[in-house]
Amino acid sequence: MINRELYMSRIRPFIGNDLIKVLTGIRRSGKSVMLDLIKQELVASGVNENQFISINFENMSNAHLCFAEALHQEISQRISEITGKAYLFFDEIQEVIHWEKCINSFRVEFNCDIYITGSNARLLSGELATYLAGRYVEFVIYPFSFGEFTELYHSIYPDSDLRSMFTQYLTSGGMPYLSNLRYAEQPSRQYLQDLYNSVVLKDIVKRNNIRDVDLLERIIAYITANIGTTFSATAISKYLKNEGRMVAPETILNYIKACEDAFLFYRVRRQDLQGKKILTVNEKYYIADHGIREAVFGGNMKDINLIFENIVYMELLRRGYKITVGKAGEKEIDFIAEKQAQKLYVQVAYLLASEETIQHEFGVYSTVRDNFPKYVVSYDEFDLSRDGFKHVNIREFLMSQQWN
């Protein structure tokens, strides 16, 4: 287990206070491990483990507690036996019917510090907004960054260098459990395929009462094949029509939203740099973990330019940036990343193999007049920076502590 300090540094200021800490993210991204890290932090600060109450609602032995009344009765009894503040840890809380009322009741009734995890973005919508408005703080937990991956991979294979670890990361992705399989190819692929099926069936189909699973899988396959490419629901509708399926764009959008809610895909809007407005057509999508893409659909090395984009996008997201795609006339900037008063522009390519490619990647910045950092990220080893625009090898970019 590695100390995921990126997240702990964000959670730490809220430990011990009365705000409910909500950890969300794709299934198996490490939310349960984060709860363990929080417990370690509490013990180190002097809290007794006897003050902890932990329940994982995907464990069948806890099935009888998946109802608000039963859970309330159980926790009330257990808290009465605790001296001092109780620390409540609830894993996959969405399995509990009317859990919002129960959690709010604990907050009001008891001297407690509450942590919950869930695998669906809708966890924080609807009734929860009513019951807990202003009383919770959310942290999205993503699969391993390349930096986290190297830390764990190097502990298993100490002789690995950064280049070989990046090659492994390209195919394996960042799901934490793969380290338990020592990143062996076949077991890792099997695990990721099973994880994908679990996300689709439990977090998308079951949670949204989707009946046409075949249609859902076709839409997922289309998006996965076209990550980093601008397209519309109408384009998917036309594609499906050619395959003999008549589907309205609105239905497609609903299915895509269900995938977003399960943290399988992330949508990126386009920003018109000249008109300074957000465009609502032809958005891009990226997958939460490119290892899942390789295991289920294959083609990561064939589509390596898009995989590079996916990896860079997820890294920007992890670090708390709000990301859009930049449109400057006929040209497009892969990512405009903004956080507080910071901004940076990022172009991603596999190799700057010709002068034409170099001109294209650096040339998109010619119409951008501000002084924020502008990067071209690629696999090239040599520094090809020019005209004040920075060129960085992708491994160095991902491992950098900060960009400026």
Side-chain angles (χ1 to χ4, degrees):
M1 185 166 68
I2 65 171
N3 181 15
R4 306 189 74 179
E5 183 58 26
L6 176 70
Y7 304 105
M8 284 306 302
S9 64
R10 296 171 182 170
I11 297 170
R12 194 171 288 119
F14 298 95
I15 290 178
N17 69 27
D18 61 354
L19 288 175
I20 297 164
K21 276 65 73 175
V22 183
L23 280 59
T24 57
I26 190 171
R27 185 175 291 269
R28 305 291 174 257
S29 61
K31 299 184 294 295
S32 300
V33 170
M34 290 307 306
L35 294 184
D36 290 338
L37 290 171
I38 292 166
K39 291 175 189 176
Q40 286 183 12
E41 190 109 353
L42 286 165
V43 170
S45 71
V47 176
N48 193 308
E49 288 188 35
N50 293 333
Q51 295 170 252
F52 298 164
I53 299 175
S54 303
I55 300 176
N56 185 333
F57 294 103
E58 288 202 318
N59 187 327
M60 278 300 294
S61 63
N62 294 320
H64 65 292
L65 298 177
C66 289
F67 304 90
E69 293 81 2
L71 179 60
H72 185 271
Q73 185 175 350
E74 173 77 10
I75 298 302
S76 297
Q77 172 61 36
R78 292 171 67 174
I79 282 184
S80 69
E81 300 167 2
I82 292 174
T83 302
K85 178 175 283 192
Y87 295 84
L88 311 181
F89 301 89
F90 299 128
D91 219 346
E92 300 297 348
I93 191 70
Q94 74 273 358
E95 300 299 326
V96 178
I97 297 171
H98 300 312
W99 67 268
E100 307 95 330
K101 297 177 182 178
C102 196
I103 294 296
N104 189 52
S105 182
F106 295 154
R107 186 189 63 78
V108 172
E109 286 182 69
F110 305 119
N111 176 22
C112 62
D113 187 16
I114 305 173
Y115 301 83
I116 63 177
T117 79
S119 301
N120 198 286
R122 285 165 61 186
L123 196 70
L124 296 177
S125 63
E127 280 193 88
L128 179 57
T130 302
Y131 283 102
L132 302 178
R135 299 186 179 93
Y136 67 84
V137 56
E138 180 190 12
F139 307 93
V140 182
I141 310 300
Y142 302 100
F144 281 160
S145 66
F146 179 53
E148 291 174 317
F149 174 88
T150 58
E151 184 180 342
L152 208 51
Y153 193 84
H154 196 264
S155 69
I156 301 170
Y157 301 106
D159 295 332
S160 301
D161 59 18
L162 208 58
R163 184 197 288 260
S164 64
M165 287 191 284
F166 184 70
T167 301
Q168 181 69 49
Y169 187 64
L170 281 173
T171 53
S172 297
M175 296 310 294
Y177 188 80
L178 296 185
S179 64
N180 296 320
L181 305 174
R182 299 180 65 83
Y183 295 98
E185 182 179 355
Q186 192 53 47
S188 294
R189 180 180 289 113
Q190 182 66 51
Y191 171 79
L192 291 172
Q193 288 171 348
D194 291 344
L195 169 61
Y196 166 79
N197 290 332
S198 182
V199 170
V200 171
L201 293 174
K202 288 187 178 181
D203 299 324
I204 301 176
V205 172
K206 180 183 174 184
R207 197 145 299 283
N208 295 277
N209 298 314
I210 290 175
R211 296 179 179 177
D212 197 338
V213 179
D214 175 68
L215 174 60
L216 173 68
E217 290 180 336
R218 286 171 186 253
I219 291 170
I220 291 174
Y222 182 95
I223 296 173
T224 304
N226 291 279
I227 59 167
T229 305
T230 53
F231 59 83
S232 63
T234 302
I236 301 179
S237 180
K238 289 178 180 177
Y239 164 77
L240 292 171
K241 183 179 180 181
N242 291 335
E243 290 200 336
R245 295 294 306 264
M246 299 293 290
V247 186
E250 186 175 345
T251 300
I252 292 168
L253 288 173
N254 289 336
Y255 277 38
I256 293 175
K257 182 64 169 64
C259 294
E260 289 182 75
D261 286 343
F263 299 99
L264 180 61
F265 295 124
Y266 290 90
R267 177 177 49 164
V268 189
R269 297 182 183 276
R270 293 194 304 154
Q271 178 181 165
D272 187 337
L273 294 176
Q274 294 172 338
K276 298 186 186 295
K277 62 181 180 180
I278 298 296
L279 305 173
T280 56
V281 294
N282 292 342
E283 296 151 328
K284 288 187 177 185
Y285 291 86
Y286 293 95
I287 193 166
D289 180 70
H290 58 281
I292 295 176
R293 183 185 193 270
E294 175 63 22
V296 179
F297 301 98
N300 273 12
M301 301 312 288
K302 178 174 67 71
D303 300 326
I304 193 164
N305 199 68
L306 297 178
I307 298 305
F308 273 28
E309 267 191 46
N310 205 116
I311 290 171
V312 170
Y313 170 77
M314 290 304 299
E315 186 64 24
L316 291 166
L317 205 58
R318 274 186 205 95
R319 299 199 193 189
Y321 285 92
K322 179 183 177 183
I323 308 157
T324 54
V325 175
K327 182 178 181 295
E330 296 301 312
K331 298 178 180 179
E332 187 173 273
I333 298 171
D334 289 332
F335 302 122
I336 302 172
E338 301 179 63
K339 181 170 63 174
Q340 298 166 354
Q342 303 175 57
K343 182 189 286 190
L344 67 150
Y345 300 84
V346 186
Q347 277 290 100
V348 184
Y350 172 42
L351 289 171
L352 303 176
S354 67
E355 186 60 31
E356 181 183 359
T357 304
I358 293 171
Q359 290 289 350
H360 174 266
E361 299 298 339
F362 285 95
V364 297
Y365 293 137
S366 61
T367 59
V368 183
R369 302 300 181 189
D370 62 39
N371 294 318
F372 291 107
K374 299 171 182 65
Y375 287 94
V376 174
V377 175
S378 77
Y379 198 59
D380 299 275
E381 302 287 348
F382 298 105
D383 187 348
L384 298 168
S385 301
R386 57 174 60 190
D387 304 324
F389 308 136
K390 301 178 183 182
H391 170 249
V392 186
N393 174 274
I394 188 167
R395 298 188 302 271
E396 295 177 19
F397 184 81
L398 296 172
M399 295 296 286
S400 175
Q401 294 302 307
Q402 62 180 26
W403 303 305
N404 51 45

